[in-house]
Amino acid sequence: MTSRLHAYDAVENFRDFGDYHTAAGRRIRSGALFRSGHHARASDADLTRIGDLGLATVVDLRRPIERARQPSRRPAGFAGQVLVSDLDAVGEAPHITFLKSGDLTPDSGRRFMTGLYGEMAYAPSHLEIFAAYFQALADSDGPVLIHCAAGKDRTGLLAALTHHLLGVGRDDLIEDYLLTNTAVDLVGRAPEMAAQLERVTGRRPSDDAVVAFMGVEPAFLEAAIRAIEARSGSLDAYLETALGVDPARRDRIVERLSA
């Protein structure tokens, strides 16, 4: 297992997404950028370890209903800022709606995920919180952690945008995105996850459908990138015009996070 992955008792998919080479011949600092699933079930030992990271900012990408159902636990004395979006306050997350009503097969799961990624970058709540995240990267000197529910889709897209901004090559960007499949051991845990989904939705997907839906594939992220390029022209244009990452802000982020 890669050293990027941090093993916690009850926080999944926790990892450092720094320490990659960039096109400028530099390297992203390790210990500055973290990503994970939600922290609602974090053990006391988990909270101690998270506290030791000295996080300056936590970005919770979940919808209000998700945060209400699974409130985050924070380390004792946590003094960092927590960024959230209160948009999309009505209704369930799209993946829950799909699981309750969609055709639970591997192919339908992949079609749903590809479509979801095609819309993700321009959802109003994502535009708001992604912009706030990049502002925090420019302004804060401390480590930042981003997370959603599983730490794979919303988190995966935001991490990929961060890597692009910092000059990480596309192969490394995709490799980091795909580490979710290693971190969570989807094949081994598929029966457990299927049972969990059945409790939430009243329907039990096959193990193959769970792997397709709960994992990540290059095609998902590529769908998001194609949608951004079609609408904004390029990832760089999206960062600047949709998220407010102008050249000065971009330079501050690069300097703060590069070694």
Side-chain angles (χ1 to χ4, degrees):
M1 181 175 289
T2 174
S3 61
R4 294 185 182 280
L5 303 180
H6 295 212
Y8 283 78
D9 295 333
V11 180
E12 295 189 333
N13 208 2
F14 202 114
R15 59 196 204 250
D16 186 328
F17 67 102
D19 200 27
Y20 283 103
H21 288 293
T22 72
R26 304 176 73 180
R27 195 173 187 93
I28 304 174
R29 291 194 294 109
S30 62
L33 294 170
F34 296 97
R35 54 179 291 181
S36 75
H38 72 79
H39 298 183
R41 294 191 293 268
S43 69
D44 290 344
D46 290 341
L47 295 179
T48 296
R49 289 189 61 196
I50 293 170
D52 290 342
L53 297 175
L55 297 173
T57 304
V58 173
V59 183
D60 187 340
L61 299 168
R62 297 176 299 164
R63 291 166 172 250
I65 192 171
E66 295 174 280
R67 302 196 307 268
R69 286 176 175 169
Q70 294 184 308
S72 292
R73 300 192 69 202
R74 303 286 179 213
F78 177 74
Q81 66 174 332
V82 178
L83 301 180
V84 300
S85 173
D86 288 326
L87 300 178
D88 293 334
V90 178
E92 293 181 311
H95 66 281
I96 296 297
T97 301
F98 168 76
L99 288 167
K100 287 183 175 180
S101 60
D103 179 20
L104 302 182
T105 66
D107 285 345
S108 66
R110 290 188 177 96
R111 285 194 299 272
F112 169 77
M113 294 305 298
T114 301
L116 180 70
Y117 272 78
E119 301 172 353
M120 197 184 304
Y122 294 94
S125 60
H126 296 157
L127 290 171
E128 178 183 59
I129 197 165
F130 285 10
Y133 159 76
F134 283 111
Q135 181 69 60
L137 286 187
D139 293 346
S140 173
D141 289 329
V144 175
L145 180 141
I146 59 177
H147 78 86
C148 51
K152 71 184 188 76
D153 300 317
R154 292 164 286 190
T155 300
L157 175 58
L158 189 52
L161 290 170
T162 308
H163 280 155
H164 174 79
L165 182 150
L166 292 169
V168 174
R170 184 62 63 90
D171 287 347
D172 283 341
L173 183 155
I174 295 290
E175 177 183 308
D176 187 85
Y177 171 73
L178 293 176
L179 278 177
T180 284
N181 296 332
T182 300
V184 181
D185 182 23
L186 289 166
V187 173
R189 294 186 56 200
E192 169 199 343
M193 291 181 172
Q196 290 176 354
L197 292 173
E198 185 176 23
R199 287 193 291 273
V200 172
T201 67
R203 308 168 72 218
R204 186 176 183 115
S206 69
D207 289 359
D208 287 345
V210 168
V211 171
F213 179 78
M214 298 298 290
V216 293
E217 300 181 7
F220 302 162
L221 186 58
E222 289 163 0
I225 293 171
R226 284 196 305 272
I228 290 170
E229 291 173 341
R231 184 162 172 178
S232 293
S234 67
L235 293 180
D236 292 325
Y238 169 77
L239 286 163
E240 182 166 3
T241 61
L243 302 183
V245 186
D246 60 22
R249 186 172 299 174
R250 186 178 191 132
D251 288 346
R252 289 200 304 272
I253 293 170
V254 170
E255 283 305 309
R256 192 179 84 74
L257 293 173
S258 298

